[in-house]
Amino acid sequence: MSKAANRFAFVSSGAADANAALESLSARYGQASIEDAEIVVALGGDGFLLQTLRDTMSTGKKVYGMNRGTIGFLMNEYRASGLTGRIAAAVAETIRPLEMQAVTAEGETISALAINEVALWRQSYQTAKIRITVDEQVRLEELNCDGVMIATPAGSTAYNLSAHGPILPLDAPLLALTPVSPFRPRRWRGALLSNKAIVRFEILEPEKRPVNAAADHTEVKAVTTVTVRESPTATATLLFDPNHSWNERILAEQFRY
């Protein structure tokens, strides 16, 4: 890696540990602006890393996360020493986010990107009623549920896994369609879809049974339809230490009890 490529931009989640790490690392390695840096080093937890990926989406910049948060499933271990060598040896994983286009009850159309998932869930005490269309063909006329989501392989170990959805290898050309507390059909467990699929959720009885939608942390209230597809253009690139790659983490997660 060239000297220019070693110019880092350190960014912090704002937590005390992350701020202390930023001060220490920038004093040791220097601090470039995000615009001038090739490598953005995110200091915090998984949520902050996802925000950093969204902020640098399609810029060609690589993001290397170091855990200064709680769980840090997506993060590398924090160590102040040897950072230049670690990044030079790091494995790059390029991911494509989902594009969400949501139409609200007031007729407003809102678009957002999601690295993990696009999720819908009921806004009131009543179950949501949702019609699901895949590639312009109705596949489920009416799903009664607390919610439903489309997850990427990158997001399959997050909310999708907690809803008993499948874990997907990072390079699988698939998306996970997973219900949350389905009531009817009672035994419907979801579906695996091609990453080229275009999925449309239509909210039935939206006034009586309002539904919210979110692309990761971008929330839209009182939606009537939500269309989801993998972005054909947007990309984000993560760097992982070679002895602890993302694929290895996803594989290991499937053998935990």
Side-chain angles (χ1 to χ4, degrees), residues 3 42 69 81 85 87-88 97-98 112 118 125-126 132 138 149 167 175-176 188 190 199 204 206 212 230 257:
K3 184 176 180 179
S81 62
I87 289 180
L98 298 174
V118 172
Y125 67 93
Q126 291 186 302
I132 300 176
V138 175
M149 76 187 80
I167 295 176
L175 302 173
W188 188 63
V199 183
L204 308 177
N212 293 347
E230 184 182 80
Y257 293 91

Side-chain angles (χ1 to χ4, degrees), residues 151-234:
T152 66
S156 66
T157 55
Y159 185 21
N160 172 74
L161 181 59
S162 71
H164 307 291
I167 295 176
L168 303 177
L170 195 60
D171 57 356
L174 298 170
L175 302 173
L177 173 61
T178 303
V180 179
S181 302
F183 180 68
R184 290 283 192 278
R186 190 179 298 275
R187 291 181 174 83
W188 188 63
R189 300 295 299 272
L192 290 176
L193 305 177
S194 164
N195 62 343
K196 305 302 181 186
I198 299 175
V199 183
R200 185 173 185 267
F201 301 101
E202 180 183 353
I203 311 307
L204 308 177
E205 304 179 27
E207 293 183 2
K208 181 181 179 182
R209 302 170 185 272
V211 170
N212 293 347
D216 287 347
H217 301 299
T218 302
E219 184 176 352
V220 183
K221 295 185 180 296
V223 297
T224 56
T225 63
V226 176
T227 303
V228 184
R229 62 179 294 184
E230 184 182 80
S231 173
T233 56

Side-chain angles (χ1 to χ4, degrees), residues 105-125:
E106 297 179 349
E108 184 181 5
T109 299
I110 299 173
S111 299
L113 295 175
I115 294 169
N116 273 354
E117 76 279 317
V118 172
L120 289 74
W121 66 93
R122 63 186 175 97
Q123 188 177 323
S124 70
Y125 67 93

